[in-house]
Amino acid sequence: MNTIKKFGLVSVVAFAMCAFNACGDDSNSTSASAENSAQSSAVEDDDSSSSINDDSSSSVTPGSDPESSSSSKTKGSSSSVKGSESTGASSSSRITNSSSSTLILPCEAAEEGEIMTILKTGIDYICTNGFWVEIQSSSSATSSSSYYDMSEQFNPDIEYGSMTDPRDGKVYKTVRVEFGYDDIDSITIFAENLNYGKLILGGTVQSDSTKYCYNDDPWYCDNGFGGLYSWSNAMNFPAACDSNAVGTDACPEKFDYINDLLQHQGLCPEGWHVLSISEWDVLLKITGFIDGSLFQRKHGSKAVFGGSNQYGVSILPGGQWHPEGFVSMGKFAAFWLPRQDSEKGNVAFGTYFSQSTYMRAFGFTKEQGFSIRCVQNYDRK
């Protein structure tokens, strides 16, 4: 339930002065240091009998572009914050903390991401890293007409199914894909990225039922791109698993194997699981070019990638979040795999591709925000 806090403007200012000058609190805010987001490592395929080769020798660097007098507080809401991507921006806001006249108050950890409005002034504040920080209108924001036209997200010649997530009532299009080997005829996958959880600001530590939306803008989550999730959240593991290996004392978790096939549910709905590398291999194989040269064209959505979307998978390049911010919207698609690096506890693997590059298994630091695709559980014959 949303909570309401009321402050007289004078008392708010007094509280701020107390907090920063005379009440003995430490006014030094913490700053997060950005880790190098380009950690990578090679991986050999032990999940699939496919002879498809890794394309992990690519020089693409993950996370970069290679080409009255009261106040009210609302929980679970967020301003639409846009970056400088070529896709444009909505009439949104930007968060600033640089002006000496900006009112900044301490907030509790449980209030992280919540928004408070001083009704007398009409100024909004958001709880960020332990402080209420003013949200100021951006004069550079453009109209919502500059968003992507999503009318061609799906292939009109494909007969899609549907799946309703019982957790939140969201309905996803699904598509049946011929499997063709390992004695499994076909699999059913989401034709959209998973969009489950409450929006929190990029960089906030994720927990169960939370997500990032690109540029902190819910439009992207709600229009096919879905949420961006840390690896531990994608796997439905505790956040400690982003910095510790699965199976250790700090992360005593395990993956789910069914009939020798990895079908790890992760954050997917009951009866579904996160696409594994062997299942991504199916999508790669049916293109007829195992080097990945046609992957984007055959599976990429016409709406953004401009691909043929021949099989109706409708993959969108939703970009990613890493410690330096949101990057690569419209340029890269990145999906977490249920696989971690055997030597580096803070590194896991993802499938990563653009219009010209396909990396079926590439190492990334686990705190980065990637997309999730879900596949329906199945049994071998």
Side-chain angles (χ1 to χ4, degrees):
M1 179 181 297
N2 292 345
T3 58
I4 302 295
K5 287 187 176 180
K6 295 185 176 181
F7 295 100
L9 187 58
V10 174
S11 64
V12 172
V13 174
F15 180 38
M17 293 178 65
C18 172
F20 288 97
N21 296 316
C23 297
D25 290 343
D26 182 5
S27 62
N28 293 324
S29 61
T30 59
S31 60
S33 60
E35 273 190 55
N36 180 0
S37 63
Q39 292 193 46
S40 64
S41 55
V43 59
E44 293 188 6
D45 182 10
D46 56 10
D47 283 350
S48 171
S49 59
S50 169
S51 61
I52 301 168
N53 295 324
D54 251 332
D55 191 17
S56 58
S57 60
S58 170
S59 62
V60 174
T61 301
S64 66
D65 177 10
E67 333 234 310
S68 111
S69 62
S70 64
S71 65
S72 65
K73 179 168 69 87
T74 60
K75 184 165 184 160
S77 60
S78 173
S79 299
S80 299
V81 183
K82 300 283 292 185
S84 59
E85 300 290 343
S86 61
T87 58
S90 67
S91 53
S92 57
S93 303
R94 60 186 175 88
I95 302 172
T96 63
N97 187 3
S98 59
S99 172
S100 59
S101 62
T102 297
L103 178 64
I104 307 177
L105 306 174
C107 58
E108 302 296 330
E111 298 173 313
E112 186 75 15
E114 296 181 4
I115 293 174
M116 176 178 68
T117 302
I118 304 298
L119 299 183
K120 184 173 182 179
T121 63
I123 298 176
D124 294 328
Y125 299 85
I126 190 164
C127 179
T128 303
N129 295 326
F131 295 95
W132 293 108
V133 181
E134 182 180 347
I135 303 173
Q136 297 181 340
S137 297
S138 173
S139 59
S140 62
T142 60
S143 70
S144 60
S145 63
S146 59
Y147 284 121
Y148 290 111
D149 177 1
M150 304 304 294
S151 61
E152 292 188 299
Q153 178 182 348
F154 305 104
N155 186 340
D157 298 325
I158 295 291
E159 184 178 349
Y160 289 97
S162 66
M163 185 274 174
T164 301
D165 190 334
R167 299 171 297 182
D168 57 13
K170 286 187 173 69
V171 179
Y172 297 89
K173 287 186 183 295
T174 63
V175 63
R176 193 82 168 168
V177 177
E178 295 300 320
F179 203 97
Y181 68 98
D182 284 348
D183 65 17
I184 298 171
D185 291 334
S186 60
I187 57 176
T188 299
I189 68 175
F190 277 21
E192 305 174 62
N193 295 344
L194 184 69
N195 184 27
Y196 174 69
K198 181 186 72 173
L199 187 159
I200 61 175
L201 292 181
T204 306
V205 175
Q206 293 191 358
S207 59
D208 182 32
S209 304
T210 63
K211 64 186 177 187
Y212 302 152
C213 294
Y214 193 86
N215 270 354
D216 298 323
D217 188 337
W219 186 91
Y220 290 104
C221 280
D222 297 337
N223 284 273
F225 295 94
L228 297 172
Y229 304 88
S230 66
W231 185 81
S232 64
N233 195 14
M235 299 302 117
N236 202 20
F237 290 160
C241 297
D242 278 343
S243 53
N244 297 277
V246 172
T248 62
D249 290 341
C251 177
E253 306 295 332
K254 62 182 180 180
F255 290 115
D256 305 323
Y257 287 87
I258 302 175
N259 296 330
D260 297 324
L261 290 175
L262 179 57
Q263 297 191 25
H264 183 72
Q265 179 179 349
L267 206 59
C268 293
E270 186 73 28
W272 299 72
H273 61 272
V274 179
L275 267 165
S276 69
I277 193 169
S278 63
E279 292 154 351
W280 279 106
D281 281 348
V282 173
L283 301 183
L284 178 60
K285 184 178 181 180
I286 64 177
T287 65
F289 289 78
I290 62 174
D291 63 356
S293 60
L294 288 182
F295 195 91
Q296 171 272 332
R297 191 181 307 172
K298 296 292 187 178
H299 298 298
S301 170
K302 294 181 180 180
V304 183
F305 257 153
S308 66
N309 197 16
Q310 181 175 339
Y311 303 100
V313 179
S314 309
I315 290 176
L316 291 168
Q320 64 190 92
W321 181 90
H322 68 87
E324 294 180 4
F326 294 97
V327 296
S328 300
M329 168 56 64
K331 301 175 183 177
F332 289 95
F335 299 88
W336 281 123
L337 296 169
R339 172 182 285 189
Q340 66 174 359
D341 189 284
S342 60
E343 298 180 355
K344 301 176 183 177
N346 69 330
V347 174
F349 292 98
T351 291
Y352 194 85
F353 59 92
S354 67
Q355 289 185 324
S356 60
T357 302
Y358 178 76
M359 295 177 287
R360 60 187 292 273
F362 205 77
F364 304 89
T365 51
K366 294 176 177 179
E367 84 277 16
Q368 296 187 61
F370 287 178
S371 303
I372 301 175
R373 280 293 177 107
C374 301
V375 56
Q376 192 170 30
N377 295 347
Y378 50 84
D379 293 322
R380 305 181 78 155
K381 291 182 179 179

